[in-house]
Amino acid sequence: MESLLFILMLIGALGVISQWLAWRFRMPAIVVMSVMGLLAGPILGLINPQEDLGGMYGPLISIAVGIILFEGSLNLDFREIKGLGKPIFRITTIGAFLAWIFGSLAAHYIAGLSWAVAFVIGGIFIVTGPTVILPLLRQAKLKPRPAAILKWEGIIVDPFGALVAVFAFEFIKFLTMDTVTFATVLAFLAGSLLAVAIGAFFGYGIGWMFENGYVPEFLKSSVVLASVIMAFALSDTVMHETGLLAVTVMGMTIANMHISSIGDMRHFKENISILLISVIFIMLTASLNTETLLSIFDWHIIVFILIMLFVTRPLSIFLSTVNTDLTFKEKLLVGWIAPRGIVALTVSGYFASVLLEAGFEDAEILTSLTFGLVFGTVVAHGFSIGFIAKKLGLSIESKPGVLIVGSSKFSANFAKVLEDLNIPVLISDSSWSRLSHARRLGVPYEHGEILSEQTDYQIDLTPYEYMISLTEYDSYNTLISSTFMPSFGREHLYQLPLQVNQGDHLEDVSKHISGQILFEMNMNWSVLNEKINNGYLFKKTTITNQYTFDQYLQELDKDSVLLMIHRKSGHINFFSPSGEIRPENGDIVISLQKPVQN
């Protein structure tokens, strides 16, 4: 028992450490987790989860994959799919089908897999997935059109890869195995329909209970997690391999009920999925034996990976987007970028065991084949997307942008200063009248509620590295910081100091739900806008050897406000009471200063 406890602890620790290292050093998480898993497993021999966990290994993988697919299917809101442009619709339907067929043919004729295994793995390989695409888009800062296509392809196709694999598996069994009759196929179809009913029942039931207040707030996450496992287990007990279908339908049902707490549910499921993905990926890679690992370098597998990279993906994109308004350069970029992620590997690990149990011995190389494709595409696409996007002219200005929430005289004028420095900036406000300040100065703005569930689809957040809340409501600023902390990270979220005497008396608000404080502790919304009304001006001062920052501070009026530093590298730093920053030679200091009296 102690040994098993140690193994579980080590697997969890390696997964979390890998994610942290990937975030800290801006590396693809899959690459770090691959190295960690291989070191702990086949290289150093510390663990072999498949042997160490015994009968628990298969169920753990299955449940984890089910939860991961449920989290992905929560994004399938039909209102958003209806609004897709022609290119995205074509790529997610015709393109996905072509990728499945071409990938299956390559797996059979190049990698030497049987038709059953080839069509199963071909279905799994249509998945790119938001977990690998979104970090790449943020890293490369693509223009809106190619970014939207890649993002929506990942979101829409992600839950369907495993389902395509399930149906391919059953159909090929019907054609190739004597024990599988037409009655067996009908039974599978009936089981699939039952799985759909189970998923819809659980999804609708949870949505109804949540909306009518039958589940307290503190129990919602636990109820959802338990229900996902129940739906998966019940469906899989009735008909093997249909549990994935049940949880996908369950997620889609909840997503399209538009319940008020779906945002919190998504955050919880995203956190759970990250942990499960990390753990499962370590388990899969650590379970690889040396022979399987070396088989990745077999010329059949290498040629298969090259075919998937340079033939299957580009061909499916170019054929599916004929007679659309995509330019050749956009097709070229989208046709190159298709990194397979952890979901593909975890699902293929699940089907490898299922196929082996069904008597398909060639499924033994399924994990190594998938691992080779995942690792190859993540490295190739992760390290090339920025360079290729720049060469094709499909990347936006590389300077980190600022998303300002709340339009006022101060925020509009501040945004104008940022725009003059060629820093991407956008003001968001739900009030059309308050946006008049932004319209008057001609700065970019977005009319809408930033906390709406449609924000991810209405606003492309890719250009913006910082979000600053400049509204007059303390509680709203804190709510924004709390909501967007998973997306931006606390180090890139700022809000105005509290208006203790006029506002919501939130001086004791916990720091972990608020952003960093902007400027100075007494520079709240009222003070800053009063200064603008009194004629204060934004000043840009370059720090040099001849005019140092210390000299600048000595000459600065006591009523002036230090706002930010625009580094000569293009990066920005906001002044804050929580940390001391100093400009270097060539940096520009932005401040709000009293007008010069004549």
Side-chain angles (χ1 to χ4, degrees), residues 103-122 125 300-301 304 355 360-370:
S104 302
L105 293 174
H108 177 71
Y109 289 109
I110 305 298
L113 298 176
S114 64
W115 281 116
V117 179
F119 271 91
V120 169
I121 200 66
F125 284 166
H300 293 92
I301 293 182
F304 169 77
L355 287 162
F360 296 95
E361 296 181 1
D362 54 332
E364 194 172 4
I365 69 165
L366 210 58
T367 301
S368 56
L369 182 72
T370 311

Side-chain angles (χ1 to χ4, degrees), residues 14 47 101 127 169 190 207 224 321 353 363 389 395 400 433 496 528 531 548:
L14 290 175
I47 54 173
I101 299 300
V127 171
F169 174 54
V224 171
T321 55
S353 60
S395 62
S433 61
L496 289 176
L528 290 171
K531 287 183 180 293
T548 65

Side-chain angles (χ1 to χ4, degrees), residues 90-102:
R90 290 274 202 88
I91 289 171
T92 54
T93 52
I94 300 172
F97 177 76
L98 291 175
W100 176 34
I101 299 300
F102 294 152

Side-chain angles (χ1 to χ4, degrees), residues 405-580:
V405 181
S407 180
S408 64
K409 286 185 178 181
F410 171 79
S411 63
N413 281 277
F414 188 35
K416 183 62 178 175
V417 173
L418 295 174
E419 188 180 43
D420 292 341
L421 291 170
N422 293 320
I423 296 172
V425 64
L426 179 72
I427 294 182
S428 173
D429 202 301
S430 59
S431 169
W432 185 252
S433 61
R434 285 196 296 264
L435 282 170
S436 62
H437 305 297
R439 295 197 301 273
R440 177 174 51 83
L441 294 174
V443 296
Y445 64 87
E446 176 71 28
H447 179 225
E449 174 52 62
I450 193 70
L451 295 175
S452 166
E453 64 181 33
Q454 300 300 311
T455 297
D456 285 343
Y457 316 114
Q458 293 174 347
I459 302 177
D460 179 18
L461 298 178
T462 304
Y464 310 109
E465 190 167 325
Y466 298 90
M467 175 181 279
I468 59 177
S469 302
L470 302 180
T471 78
E472 59 186 303
Y473 305 107
D474 296 333
S475 55
Y476 186 68
N477 291 338
T478 301
L479 180 60
I480 290 169
S481 297
S482 175
T483 302
F484 285 93
M485 203 167 289
S487 302
F488 285 84
R490 188 172 187 273
E491 67 277 11
H492 291 160
L493 282 170
Y494 290 85
Q495 66 183 70
L496 289 176
L498 304 178
Q499 304 185 82
V500 177
N501 295 325
Q502 304 172 35
D504 306 302
H505 299 282
L506 298 174
E507 58 269 24
D508 295 326
V509 69
S510 177
K511 290 183 178 180
H512 75 273
I513 66 168
S514 63
Q516 299 187 72
I517 299 300
L518 277 168
F519 316 139
E520 301 171 12
M521 288 305 297
N522 61 333
M523 288 298 135
N524 56 47
W525 186 91
S526 300
V527 173
L528 290 171
N529 280 281
E530 184 180 357
K531 287 183 180 293
I532 296 295
N533 290 330
N534 291 335
Y536 276 60
L537 301 173
F538 290 87
K539 296 290 183 67
K540 293 177 282 189
T541 306
T542 303
I543 302 301
T544 64
N545 286 326
Q546 292 73 33
Y547 190 66
T548 65
F549 184 55
D550 290 331
Q551 185 179 352
Y552 170 77
L553 291 177
Q554 290 175 2
E555 298 178 2
L556 195 66
D557 184 270
K558 64 181 179 62
D559 293 324
S560 298
V561 186
L562 292 173
L563 303 177
M564 59 170 277
I565 298 173
H566 184 223
R567 304 287 183 184
K568 56 184 177 182
S569 63
H571 289 83
I572 58 179
N573 296 116
F574 293 100
F575 283 99
S576 172
S578 60
E580 184 177 343

